[in-house]
Amino acid sequence: MERAQQMPAADTGPVEEVERFDAIIIGAGVTGLYALYRLREHGLSVRAFEEGSGVGGTWYWNRYPGARFDSESYTYGYSFSEELLQEWDWSEHYAGQPETERYLNYVADKFDLRRDIQFHARVVSAVYDERAHRWQVHLADGSRARAQFLITAVGLLSAHYIPDFEGLDSFQGAWCHTGRWPAEGMDLAGKRVGVIGTGATGVQLITEIAKEVGHLTVFQRTANYCAPLRNGPIDPDTQRQIKASYPDIFKRCNETAGSFIHKFDPRSALEVSLDERLEQYERLWAEPGFKKWLANFYDIMLPGPANEDYAAFVRQKIRERVKDPVVAEKLVPKDHMFGSKRLPCESGYYEVYNQDNVLLVDVREAPIERITPTGVKTRDAEYDLAVIIFATGYDAVTGALNRIEIRGEGGQTLKDKFAKGPRTYMGIQSVGFPNLFTINAASVGNFVRAAEPLVDWVCDCICYVRDHQFTRIAPTSEAEAAWTQHVAEAGAKILRTQADSWFVGANIPGKARFLLTSPDTAPVMRAKRAEVAAKGYAGFLLQ
Ligand code: NA7
């Protein structure tokens, strides 16, 4: 920690109708709810602003049919309250969206969080008052609020992205993006439906709606490696076992790179015999969830021959499930490495393409040219549709921040500063934006497992600042430059940066290519943050 000259920083801001708090949180999803709980526990006055009408964030907005965990339900829930852990029964190994939304509502009620959350409250700007060391936020309804600390718990994947297709305004049918699925649902039964996008979301959605639509056209640009989820109900015995072993479950999650419960096999895929290798591939393939990915030979997650060997195995699994060999070949990924994107887990996805009423259109071969009043026109054909669903993903991490005009010291905007990629210290803070904690950029993997310790760290940091009579904390330029360089250099070596995906901003035309999350494993990140805190917030400037 560097101690700069201390300045008096009473809140001498404008005296008009502005509500004042110690901390403001933007977003009442998984991270925002926990930050609210934690900061309030520390005795701070807190207000969370949430655009939606309810809590849940991702699990509030993503109401599309088929939305579901790929983490085991009991590894995803909060760990901070033993009472909560014992009270809540997850009904399935991989819970669906309605259950997760119910869970987050239960948490909000149990800990009386709603009294400090303002719903239907869209924050349009946040401006730093350099004299008072306070943030002033402006809401869409014209109201304002001030706080010393601002936490953007706006989510990693919340700024939904709809490609700029010409003609969407002219479409006479119904359309929506999966991340803004209407609460009342979409009427798809018997209709001609088109889905654009075959990422994790599209895969879940397509599998579910294929059961009820009249005809389904899937517009695929890139085929994905998908693996069977093998979901099932949690029986009472298993429920008891889970509740008795939460400390062990969380300990195991905390030991792994992505905070999932699965631990890599320390052997190389190439050091065992072919028979042994195939036996393991098959055995894990038959298991639920990410085990077939994250409990496999460690080097299938490194660019190289082991990765390619497993990719070939997965491609063959896809071919075996699709009757028409031409369609099968279109569904087999050939242009990116296995695991370079998050593995979509499915429950009958490939069999959908064996249905007579389902058509797969390769839009890499024949790109979408425009939306017409009656459907979609590609270079080669026109498709008549009553409904178009965009499963086209998100402007990840920076997209959600950019939707808010965040102005720091000297009037600079965070959007300008992050134009070539986020420049932060550990993903948490950025020079020129004191007392702002951009925590949506800092956790990845099994989300809640990574988010809880991060929020704990931020709350402890805020308490440290206050307890030591400082009023302002921001990283040093040196710490920020070193971290940004580390993200670029270490990021270049990992599998996640090798594909054109949201991880590196490659899904958004014109967005700078830069790893948007930390290149380090979860245990390494926790250790780095702990060391920084132990050294009195080394790399930060406190005033
Ligand atoms: P993703 O993984 O970003 O997938 C978006 C999909 O939309 C993907 O198939 C894209 O094809 C496709 N897309 C995007 N733009 C276009 C255009 N212009 N034309 C055709 N197709 C397009 O988002 P998801 O919501 O599925 O998943 C996000 C995360 O949520 C996931 O990683 C999990 O962690 C949960 P592309 O692959 O870019 O060729």
Side-chain angles (χ1 to χ4, degrees), residues 157 161 163 165 196-202 221-222 341-342 363-364 391-394 502 507:
L157 296 160
Y161 164 65
F165 292 126
I196 304 177
T198 53
T201 300
R221 190 165 65 182
T222 308
K341 298 183 180 186
R342 187 151 166 169
V363 295
R364 186 165 307 274
T392 40
Y394 297 86
W502 64 262
N507 61 326

Side-chain angles (χ1 to χ4, degrees), residues 126-128 130 135 405-418 423 430-434 436 472 480:
V127 180
Y128 185 63
E130 289 180 51
W135 282 92
E405 185 184 326
I406 299 174
R407 283 195 181 275
E409 288 171 327
Q412 68 174 318
T413 65
L414 198 66
K415 185 176 179 176
D416 283 346
K417 180 165 179 193
F418 285 4
R423 276 159 48 213
S430 191
V431 174
F433 298 83
L436 168 67
R472 176 191 181 282
E480 180 178 289

Side-chain angles (χ1 to χ4, degrees), residues 60-361:
Y60 168 91
W61 296 106
N62 282 270
R63 298 166 185 279
Y64 65 85
R68 181 174 292 289
F69 282 153
D70 49 19
S71 317
E72 290 68 22
S73 310
Y74 40 90
T75 70
Y76 187 95
Y78 292 115
S79 69
F80 68 86
S81 160
E82 182 59 24
E83 208 175 273
L84 172 65
L85 289 167
Q86 296 306 322
E87 278 171 10
W88 184 262
D89 288 347
W90 291 104
S91 71
E92 291 179 284
H93 284 271
Y94 303 91
Q97 176 273 333
E99 183 167 358
T100 309
E101 193 187 6
R102 269 200 309 281
Y103 168 73
L104 292 168
N105 274 278
Y106 182 83
V107 171
D109 290 335
K110 179 174 174 64
F111 298 100
D112 191 20
L113 300 177
R114 284 179 216 280
R115 68 181 151 93
D116 292 316
I117 305 173
Q118 190 175 322
F119 294 103
H120 303 289
R122 188 165 65 82
V123 175
V124 290
S125 72
V127 180
Y128 185 63
D129 178 337
E130 289 180 51
R131 235 159 36 94
H133 299 177
R134 296 289 188 282
W135 282 92
Q136 178 147 319
V137 305
H138 299 244
L139 281 86
D141 69 1
S143 59
R144 280 160 294 184
R146 276 169 86 76
Q148 186 175 8
F149 301 99
L150 179 63
I151 297 176
T152 51
V154 291
L156 202 67
L157 296 160
S158 59
H160 65 290
Y161 164 65
I162 298 176
D164 193 13
F165 292 126
E166 213 184 304
L168 183 55
D169 287 351
S170 73
F171 183 58
Q172 287 163 0
W175 65 269
C176 80
H177 186 281
T178 49
R180 284 293 180 278
W181 198 265
E184 64 281 10
M186 296 276 288
D187 181 14
L188 305 177
K191 297 204 166 142
R192 293 185 67 81
V193 178
V195 176
I196 304 177
T198 53
T201 300
V203 165
Q204 290 185 332
L205 172 90
I206 288 162
T207 311
E208 201 55 33
I209 67 172
K211 296 170 188 164
E212 61 162 332
V213 299
H215 186 275
L216 180 63
T217 308
V218 176
F219 298 92
Q220 171 189 274
R221 190 165 65 182
T222 308
N224 256 310
Y225 298 92
C226 308
L229 179 64
R230 307 196 196 284
N231 189 23
I234 296 177
D235 61 55
D237 249 10
T238 311
Q239 191 77 256
R240 270 190 294 278
Q241 278 171 28
I242 289 168
K243 289 192 179 181
S245 51
Y246 270 124
D248 181 51
I249 289 171
F250 295 136
K251 180 173 172 289
R252 283 160 61 200
C253 290
N254 285 343
E255 287 167 353
T256 69
S259 311
F260 293 99
I261 199 160
H262 316 291
K263 210 171 189 164
F264 280 112
D265 182 338
R267 294 173 305 164
S268 159
L270 307 176
E271 83 186 21
V272 300
S273 69
L274 178 62
D275 282 354
E276 204 176 335
R277 187 156 82 227
L278 285 176
E279 184 279 325
Q280 170 141 318
Y281 288 172
E282 290 289 356
R283 182 168 36 79
L284 292 178
W285 195 256
E287 297 261 4
F290 280 159
K291 214 165 181 177
K292 51 189 82 62
W293 179 24
L294 303 177
N296 222 319
F297 300 108
Y298 77 92
D299 52 352
I300 69 158
M301 272 304 275
L302 302 175
N307 176 275
E308 178 45 36
D309 188 63
Y310 192 60
F313 170 85
V314 178
R315 289 189 196 111
Q316 193 48 33
K317 287 288 179 201
I318 297 171
R319 289 189 183 101
E320 284 165 12
R321 289 170 63 184
V322 184
K323 285 186 188 145
D324 182 334
V326 176
V327 177
E329 237 20 68
K330 283 185 184 168
L331 289 164
V332 169
K334 299 178 184 93
D335 61 354
H336 63 279
M337 285 182 253
F338 176 84
S340 57
K341 298 183 180 186
R342 187 151 166 169
L343 178 72
C345 287
E346 47 80 33
S347 307
Y349 176 63
Y350 291 109
E351 285 72 17
V352 163
Y353 297 96
N354 296 333
Q355 288 181 209
D356 292 338
N357 63 341
V358 176
L359 177 68
L360 179 66
V361 176

Side-chain angles (χ1 to χ4, degrees), residues 360-386:
L360 179 66
V361 176
D362 182 345
V363 295
R364 186 165 307 274
E365 209 174 270
I368 295 174
E369 286 185 343
R370 56 174 295 125
I371 310 288
T372 69
T374 55
V376 169
K377 181 178 181 327
T378 68
R379 190 197 62 195
D380 290 352
E382 270 194 66
Y383 300 89
D384 262 3
L385 303 168

